[in-house]
PDB file of all heavy atoms in Angstrom:
ATOM      1  N   VAL A   1      98.504 105.113  83.845  1.00 91.00           N
ATOM      2  CA  VAL A   1      99.563 104.148  84.147  1.00 91.00           C
ATOM      3  C   VAL A   1      99.164 103.358  85.386  1.00 91.00           C
ATOM      4  O   VAL A   1      98.857 103.941  86.431  1.00 91.00           O
ATOM      5  CB  VAL A   1     100.913 104.856  84.397  1.00 91.00           C
ATOM      6  CG1 VAL A   1     101.962 103.840  84.850  1.00 91.00           C
ATOM      7  CG2 VAL A   1     101.386 105.567  83.135  1.00 91.00           C
ATOM      8  N   ASP A   2      99.150 102.040  85.267  1.00 92.00           N
ATOM      9  CA  ASP A   2      98.923 101.166  86.410  1.00 92.00           C
ATOM     10  C   ASP A   2     100.271 100.928  87.077  1.00 92.00           C
ATOM     11  O   ASP A   2     101.202 100.400  86.453  1.00 92.00           O
ATOM     12  CB  ASP A   2      98.314  99.844  85.946  1.00 92.00           C
ATOM     13  CG  ASP A   2      97.931  98.938  87.105  1.00 92.00           C
ATOM     14  OD1 ASP A   2      98.289  99.254  88.262  1.00 92.00           O
ATOM     15  OD2 ASP A   2      97.286  97.900  86.859  1.00 92.00           O
ATOM     16  N   LEU A   3     100.387 101.306  88.346  1.00 95.00           N
ATOM     17  CA  LEU A   3     101.663 101.218  89.039  1.00 95.00           C
ATOM     18  C   LEU A   3     101.947  99.843  89.637  1.00 95.00           C
ATOM     19  O   LEU A   3     102.998  99.643  90.247  1.00 95.00           O
ATOM     20  CB  LEU A   3     101.715 102.268  90.161  1.00 95.00           C
ATOM     21  CG  LEU A   3     101.665 103.729  89.719  1.00 95.00           C
ATOM     22  CD1 LEU A   3     101.638 104.642  90.932  1.00 95.00           C
ATOM     23  CD2 LEU A   3     102.849 104.065  88.825  1.00 95.00           C
ATOM     24  N   LYS A   4     101.046  98.895  89.462  1.00 95.00           N
ATOM     25  CA  LYS A   4     101.165  97.606  90.128  1.00 95.00           C
ATOM     26  C   LYS A   4     102.514  96.947  89.904  1.00 95.00           C
ATOM     27  O   LYS A   4     103.115  96.395  90.831  1.00 95.00           O
ATOM     28  CB  LYS A   4     100.047  96.669  89.656  1.00 95.00           C
ATOM     29  CG  LYS A   4     100.070  95.305  90.323  1.00 95.00           C
ATOM     30  CD  LYS A   4      98.930  94.420  89.825  1.00 95.00           C
ATOM     31  CE  LYS A   4      98.966  93.046  90.476  1.00 95.00           C
ATOM     32  NZ  LYS A   4      97.864  92.176  89.968  1.00 95.00           N
ATOM     33  N   ASN A   5     103.024  96.989  88.668  1.00 95.00           N
ATOM     34  CA  ASN A   5     104.297  96.339  88.352  1.00 95.00           C
ATOM     35  C   ASN A   5     105.430  97.333  88.128  1.00 95.00           C
ATOM     36  O   ASN A   5     106.498  96.960  87.625  1.00 95.00           O
ATOM     37  CB  ASN A   5     104.136  95.464  87.103  1.00 95.00           C
ATOM     38  CG  ASN A   5     103.221  94.281  87.353  1.00 95.00           C
ATOM     39  OD1 ASN A   5     103.381  93.561  88.337  1.00 95.00           O
ATOM     40  ND2 ASN A   5     102.249  94.092  86.464  1.00 95.00           N
ATOM     41  N   VAL A   6     105.209  98.579  88.514  1.00 97.00           N
ATOM     42  CA  VAL A   6     106.230  99.620  88.352  1.00 97.00           C
ATOM     43  C   VAL A   6     107.149  99.622  89.574  1.00 97.00           C
ATOM     44  O   VAL A   6     106.671  99.688  90.707  1.00 97.00           O
ATOM     45  CB  VAL A   6     105.576 101.007  88.191  1.00 97.00           C
ATOM     46  CG1 VAL A   6     106.633 102.104  88.225  1.00 97.00           C
ATOM     47  CG2 VAL A   6     104.790 101.065  86.881  1.00 97.00           C
ATOM     48  N   PRO A   7     108.470  99.562  89.386  1.00 98.00           N
ATOM     49  CA  PRO A   7     109.374  99.662  90.537  1.00 98.00           C
ATOM     50  C   PRO A   7     109.231 101.014  91.229  1.00 98.00           C
ATOM     51  O   PRO A   7     109.256 102.058  90.573  1.00 98.00           O
ATOM     52  CB  PRO A   7     110.763  99.509  89.909  1.00 98.00           C
ATOM     53  CG  PRO A   7     110.542  98.852  88.597  1.00 98.00           C
ATOM     54  CD  PRO A   7     109.205  99.345  88.123  1.00 98.00           C
ATOM     55  N   ILE A   8     109.050 100.991  92.544  1.00 98.00           N
ATOM     56  CA  ILE A   8     108.995 102.217  93.334  1.00 98.00           C
ATOM     57  C   ILE A   8     110.125 102.164  94.353  1.00 98.00           C
ATOM     58  O   ILE A   8     110.267 101.188  95.094  1.00 98.00           O
ATOM     59  CB  ILE A   8     107.647 102.380  94.049  1.00 98.00           C
ATOM     60  CG1 ILE A   8     106.517 102.562  93.029  1.00 98.00           C
ATOM     61  CG2 ILE A   8     107.681 103.571  95.003  1.00 98.00           C
ATOM     62  CD1 ILE A   8     105.149 102.789  93.644  1.00 98.00           C
ATOM     63  N   PHE A   9     110.930 103.212  94.387  1.00 98.00           N
ATOM     64  CA  PHE A   9     112.069 103.288  95.293  1.00 98.00           C
ATOM     65  C   PHE A   9     111.768 104.307  96.398  1.00 98.00           C
ATOM     66  O   PHE A   9     111.349 105.429  96.116  1.00 98.00           O
ATOM     67  CB  PHE A   9     113.327 103.673  94.520  1.00 98.00           C
ATOM     68  CG  PHE A   9     113.686 102.672  93.462  1.00 98.00           C
ATOM     69  CD1 PHE A   9     113.219 102.816  92.156  1.00 98.00           C
ATOM     70  CD2 PHE A   9     114.454 101.562  93.765  1.00 98.00           C
ATOM     71  CE1 PHE A   9     113.523 101.877  91.175  1.00 98.00           C
ATOM     72  CE2 PHE A   9     114.760 100.615  92.798  1.00 98.00           C
ATOM     73  CZ  PHE A   9     114.305 100.773  91.502  1.00 98.00           C
ATOM     74  N   VAL A  10     111.962 103.887  97.635  1.00 98.00           N
ATOM     75  CA  VAL A  10     111.628 104.739  98.769  1.00 98.00           C
ATOM     76  C   VAL A  10     112.853 104.966  99.636  1.00 98.00           C
ATOM     77  O   VAL A  10     113.795 104.168  99.652  1.00 98.00           O
ATOM     78  CB  VAL A  10     110.491 104.134  99.627  1.00 98.00           C
ATOM     79  CG1 VAL A  10     109.243 103.910  98.796  1.00 98.00           C
ATOM     80  CG2 VAL A  10     110.931 102.832 100.289  1.00 98.00           C
ATOM     81  N   GLU A  11     112.803 106.066 100.366  1.00 97.00           N
ATOM     82  CA  GLU A  11     113.844 106.413 101.334  1.00 97.00           C
ATOM     83  C   GLU A  11     113.195 107.278 102.402  1.00 97.00           C
ATOM     84  O   GLU A  11     112.378 108.142 102.087  1.00 97.00           O
ATOM     85  CB  GLU A  11     114.984 107.170 100.640  1.00 97.00           C
ATOM     86  CG  GLU A  11     116.153 107.491 101.550  1.00 97.00           C
ATOM     87  CD  GLU A  11     117.247 108.273 100.839  1.00 97.00           C
ATOM     88  OE1 GLU A  11     116.989 108.826  99.746  1.00 97.00           O
ATOM     89  OE2 GLU A  11     118.354 108.343 101.387  1.00 97.00           O
ATOM     90  N   GLY A  12     113.534 107.049 103.662  1.00 97.00           N
ATOM     91  CA  GLY A  12     112.919 107.802 104.744  1.00 97.00           C
ATOM     92  C   GLY A  12     113.933 108.466 105.648  1.00 97.00           C
ATOM     93  O   GLY A  12     115.104 108.084 105.695  1.00 97.00           O
ATOM     94  N   SER A  13     113.471 109.454 106.398  1.00 95.00           N
ATOM     95  CA  SER A  13     114.339 110.202 107.303  1.00 95.00           C
ATOM     96  C   SER A  13     114.756 109.388 108.522  1.00 95.00           C
ATOM     97  O   SER A  13     115.674 109.764 109.245  1.00 95.00           O
ATOM     98  CB  SER A  13     113.642 111.487 107.754  1.00 95.00           C
ATOM     99  OG  SER A  13     112.368 111.196 108.317  1.00 95.00           O
ATOM    100  N   SER A  14     114.091 108.276 108.763  1.00 95.00           N
ATOM    101  CA  SER A  14     114.449 107.364 109.839  1.00 95.00           C
ATOM    102  C   SER A  14     113.965 105.973 109.454  1.00 95.00           C
ATOM    103  O   SER A  14     113.207 105.812 108.489  1.00 95.00           O
ATOM    104  CB  SER A  14     113.804 107.788 111.157  1.00 95.00           C
ATOM    105  OG  SER A  14     112.393 107.603 111.096  1.00 95.00           O
ATOM    106  N   GLU A  15     114.391 104.983 110.214  1.00 95.00           N
ATOM    107  CA  GLU A  15     113.956 103.615 109.910  1.00 95.00           C
ATOM    108  C   GLU A  15     112.446 103.480 110.049  1.00 95.00           C
ATOM    109  O   GLU A  15     111.793 102.796 109.253  1.00 95.00           O
ATOM    110  CB  GLU A  15     114.656 102.633 110.838  1.00 95.00           C
ATOM    111  CG  GLU A  15     114.326 101.174 110.543  1.00 95.00           C
ATOM    112  CD  GLU A  15     115.082 100.210 111.434  1.00 95.00           C
ATOM    113  OE1 GLU A  15     115.950 100.658 112.198  1.00 95.00           O
ATOM    114  OE2 GLU A  15     114.808  99.000 111.359  1.00 95.00           O
ATOM    115  N   ILE A  16     111.892 104.145 111.051  1.00 95.00           N
ATOM    116  CA  ILE A  16     110.443 104.083 111.260  1.00 95.00           C
ATOM    117  C   ILE A  16     109.710 104.678 110.059  1.00 95.00           C
ATOM    118  O   ILE A  16     108.759 104.088 109.531  1.00 95.00           O
ATOM    119  CB  ILE A  16     110.048 104.812 112.555  1.00 95.00           C
ATOM    120  CG1 ILE A  16     110.579 104.048 113.774  1.00 95.00           C
ATOM    121  CG2 ILE A  16     108.531 104.974 112.651  1.00 95.00           C
ATOM    122  CD1 ILE A  16     110.349 104.766 115.090  1.00 95.00           C
ATOM    123  N   ILE A  17     110.147 105.858 109.641  1.00 96.00           N
ATOM    124  CA  ILE A  17     109.507 106.517 108.498  1.00 96.00           C
ATOM    125  C   ILE A  17     109.702 105.696 107.234  1.00 96.00           C
ATOM    126  O   ILE A  17     108.775 105.559 106.413  1.00 96.00           O
ATOM    127  CB  ILE A  17     110.059 107.940 108.314  1.00 96.00           C
ATOM    128  CG1 ILE A  17     109.715 108.809 109.530  1.00 96.00           C
ATOM    129  CG2 ILE A  17     109.505 108.574 107.044  1.00 96.00           C
ATOM    130  CD1 ILE A  17     108.237 108.904 109.822  1.00 96.00           C
ATOM    131  N   GLU A  18     110.868 105.119 107.075  1.00 96.00           N
ATOM    132  CA  GLU A  18     111.116 104.303 105.894  1.00 96.00           C
ATOM    133  C   GLU A  18     110.159 103.115 105.823  1.00 96.00           C
ATOM    134  O   GLU A  18     109.627 102.788 104.758  1.00 96.00           O
ATOM    135  CB  GLU A  18     112.559 103.811 105.911  1.00 96.00           C
ATOM    136  CG  GLU A  18     113.082 103.376 104.560  1.00 96.00           C
ATOM    137  CD  GLU A  18     114.588 103.487 104.517  1.00 96.00           C
ATOM    138  OE1 GLU A  18     115.252 102.553 105.009  1.00 96.00           O
ATOM    139  OE2 GLU A  18     115.102 104.502 104.002  1.00 96.00           O
ATOM    140  N   ASN A  19     109.940 102.486 106.968  1.00 96.00           N
ATOM    141  CA  ASN A  19     108.991 101.363 107.013  1.00 96.00           C
ATOM    142  C   ASN A  19     107.579 101.826 106.693  1.00 96.00           C
ATOM    143  O   ASN A  19     106.804 101.099 106.047  1.00 96.00           O
ATOM    144  CB  ASN A  19     109.040 100.685 108.376  1.00 96.00           C
ATOM    145  CG  ASN A  19     110.312  99.881 108.580  1.00 96.00           C
ATOM    146  OD1 ASN A  19     110.920  99.412 107.617  1.00 96.00           O
ATOM    147  ND2 ASN A  19     110.736  99.726 109.829  1.00 96.00           N
ATOM    148  N   GLN A  20     107.230 103.030 107.151  1.00 95.00           N
ATOM    149  CA  GLN A  20     105.931 103.586 106.820  1.00 95.00           C
ATOM    150  C   GLN A  20     105.800 103.802 105.314  1.00 95.00           C
ATOM    151  O   GLN A  20     104.767 103.489 104.706  1.00 95.00           O
ATOM    152  CB  GLN A  20     105.726 104.918 107.552  1.00 95.00           C
ATOM    153  CG  GLN A  20     105.624 104.801 109.069  1.00 95.00           C
ATOM    154  CD  GLN A  20     104.248 104.344 109.501  1.00 95.00           C
ATOM    155  OE1 GLN A  20     103.249 104.859 109.031  1.00 95.00           O
ATOM    156  NE2 GLN A  20     104.203 103.375 110.401  1.00 95.00           N
ATOM    157  N   LEU A  21     106.866 104.315 104.700  1.00 97.00           N
ATOM    158  CA  LEU A  21     106.836 104.574 103.259  1.00 97.00           C
ATOM    159  C   LEU A  21     106.780 103.277 102.459  1.00 97.00           C
ATOM    160  O   LEU A  21     106.122 103.209 101.417  1.00 97.00           O
ATOM    161  CB  LEU A  21     108.061 105.396 102.844  1.00 97.00           C
ATOM    162  CG  LEU A  21     108.083 106.837 103.352  1.00 97.00           C
ATOM    163  CD1 LEU A  21     109.388 107.518 102.965  1.00 97.00           C
ATOM    164  CD2 LEU A  21     106.903 107.620 102.818  1.00 97.00           C
ATOM    165  N   ILE A  22     107.452 102.248 102.940  1.00 97.00           N
ATOM    166  CA  ILE A  22     107.364 100.940 102.287  1.00 97.00           C
ATOM    167  C   ILE A  22     105.912 100.458 102.296  1.00 97.00           C
ATOM    168  O   ILE A  22     105.395  99.959 101.286  1.00 97.00           O
ATOM    169  CB  ILE A  22     108.279  99.916 102.988  1.00 97.00           C
ATOM    170  CG1 ILE A  22     109.750 100.258 102.745  1.00 97.00           C
ATOM    171  CG2 ILE A  22     107.982  98.501 102.495  1.00 97.00           C
ATOM    172  CD1 ILE A  22     110.715  99.430 103.568  1.00 97.00           C
ATOM    173  N   SER A  23     105.251 100.614 103.440  1.00 96.00           N
ATOM    174  CA  SER A  23     103.857 100.181 103.558  1.00 96.00           C
ATOM    175  C   SER A  23     102.945 100.974 102.631  1.00 96.00           C
ATOM    176  O   SER A  23     102.057 100.413 101.983  1.00 96.00           O
ATOM    177  CB  SER A  23     103.385 100.323 105.008  1.00 96.00           C
ATOM    178  OG  SER A  23     104.119  99.480 105.870  1.00 96.00           O
ATOM    179  N   ILE A  24     103.160 102.281 102.573  1.00 96.00           N
ATOM    180  CA  ILE A  24     102.332 103.124 101.702  1.00 96.00           C
ATOM    181  C   ILE A  24     102.574 102.781 100.236  1.00 96.00           C
ATOM    182  O   ILE A  24     101.636 102.590  99.455  1.00 96.00           O
ATOM    183  CB  ILE A  24     102.622 104.616 101.968  1.00 96.00           C
ATOM    184  CG1 ILE A  24     102.147 105.011 103.367  1.00 96.00           C
ATOM    185  CG2 ILE A  24     101.945 105.492 100.907  1.00 96.00           C
ATOM    186  CD1 ILE A  24     102.614 106.387 103.812  1.00 96.00           C
ATOM    187  N   ALA A  25     103.855 102.704  99.835  1.00 97.00           N
ATOM    188  CA  ALA A  25     104.183 102.416  98.440  1.00 97.00           C
ATOM    189  C   ALA A  25     103.713 101.030  98.029  1.00 97.00           C
ATOM    190  O   ALA A  25     103.354 100.806  96.866  1.00 97.00           O
ATOM    191  CB  ALA A  25     105.691 102.555  98.218  1.00 97.00           C
ATOM    192  N   SER A  26     103.691 100.099  98.974  1.00 97.00           N
ATOM    193  CA  SER A  26     103.258  98.727  98.658  1.00 97.00           C
ATOM    194  C   SER A  26     101.776  98.649  98.343  1.00 97.00           C
ATOM    195  O   SER A  26     101.307  97.651  97.782  1.00 97.00           O
ATOM    196  CB  SER A  26     103.598  97.793  99.822  1.00 97.00           C
ATOM    197  OG  SER A  26     104.998  97.682  99.990  1.00 97.00           O
ATOM    198  N   ARG A  27     101.037  99.677  98.684  1.00 96.00           N
ATOM    199  CA  ARG A  27      99.631  99.739  98.302  1.00 96.00           C
ATOM    200  C   ARG A  27      99.482 100.140  96.838  1.00 96.00           C
ATOM    201  O   ARG A  27      98.429  99.967  96.233  1.00 96.00           O
ATOM    202  CB  ARG A  27      98.883 100.725  99.203  1.00 96.00           C
ATOM    203  CG  ARG A  27      98.875 100.277 100.655  1.00 96.00           C
ATOM    204  CD  ARG A  27      98.383 101.359 101.590  1.00 96.00           C
ATOM    205  NE  ARG A  27      96.979 101.680 101.392  1.00 96.00           N
ATOM    206  CZ  ARG A  27      96.291 102.525 102.176  1.00 96.00           C
ATOM    207  NH1 ARG A  27      96.905 103.099 103.202  1.00 96.00           N
ATOM    208  NH2 ARG A  27      95.026 102.763 101.935  1.00 96.00           N
ATOM    209  N   LEU A  28     100.557 100.681  96.268  1.00 96.00           N
ATOM    210  CA  LEU A  28     100.546 101.107  94.869  1.00 96.00           C
ATOM    211  C   LEU A  28     101.216 100.103  93.955  1.00 96.00           C
ATOM    212  O   LEU A  28     100.800  99.926  92.808  1.00 96.00           O
ATOM    213  CB  LEU A  28     101.264 102.455  94.727  1.00 96.00           C
ATOM    214  CG  LEU A  28     100.716 103.626  95.532  1.00 96.00           C
ATOM    215  CD1 LEU A  28     101.690 104.799  95.461  1.00 96.00           C
ATOM    216  CD2 LEU A  28      99.349 104.046  95.021  1.00 96.00           C
ATOM    217  N   SER A  29     102.272  99.463  94.433  1.00 97.00           N
ATOM    218  CA  SER A  29     103.085  98.594  93.589  1.00 97.00           C
ATOM    219  C   SER A  29     103.514  97.344  94.343  1.00 97.00           C
ATOM    220  O   SER A  29     103.667  97.361  95.565  1.00 97.00           O
ATOM    221  CB  SER A  29     104.335  99.353  93.115  1.00 97.00           C
ATOM    222  OG  SER A  29     105.249  98.497  92.471  1.00 97.00           O
ATOM    223  N   GLU A  30     103.756  96.283  93.580  1.00 97.00           N
ATOM    224  CA  GLU A  30     104.271  95.045  94.154  1.00 97.00           C
ATOM    225  C   GLU A  30     105.792  95.010  94.139  1.00 97.00           C
ATOM    226  O   GLU A  30     106.398  94.041  94.595  1.00 97.00           O
ATOM    227  CB  GLU A  30     103.728  93.840  93.362  1.00 97.00           C
ATOM    228  CG  GLU A  30     102.213  93.695  93.449  1.00 97.00           C
ATOM    229  CD  GLU A  30     101.705  92.543  92.606  1.00 97.00           C
ATOM    230  OE1 GLU A  30     102.528  91.929  91.882  1.00 97.00           O
ATOM    231  OE2 GLU A  30     100.490  92.247  92.676  1.00 97.00           O
TER     232      GLU A  30
END
């Protein structure tokens, strides 16, 4: 499965962590 166009939903324990997860997930999906 190519995740490029797959919706990925993220949530973090803090705003900082959430932003980190957005950055990581954005390397997998648009």
Side-chain angles (χ1 to χ4, degrees):
V1 174
D2 185 351
L3 296 177
K4 181 179 179 181
N5 293 311
V6 172
I8 295 182
F9 299 92
V10 302
E11 184 182 16
S13 54
S14 69
E15 183 177 354
I16 292 175
I17 296 303
E18 200 155 82
N19 288 333
Q20 293 281 313
L21 291 176
I22 291 171
S23 297
I24 293 169
S26 295
R27 296 169 67 174
L28 301 170
S29 171
E30 296 177 355

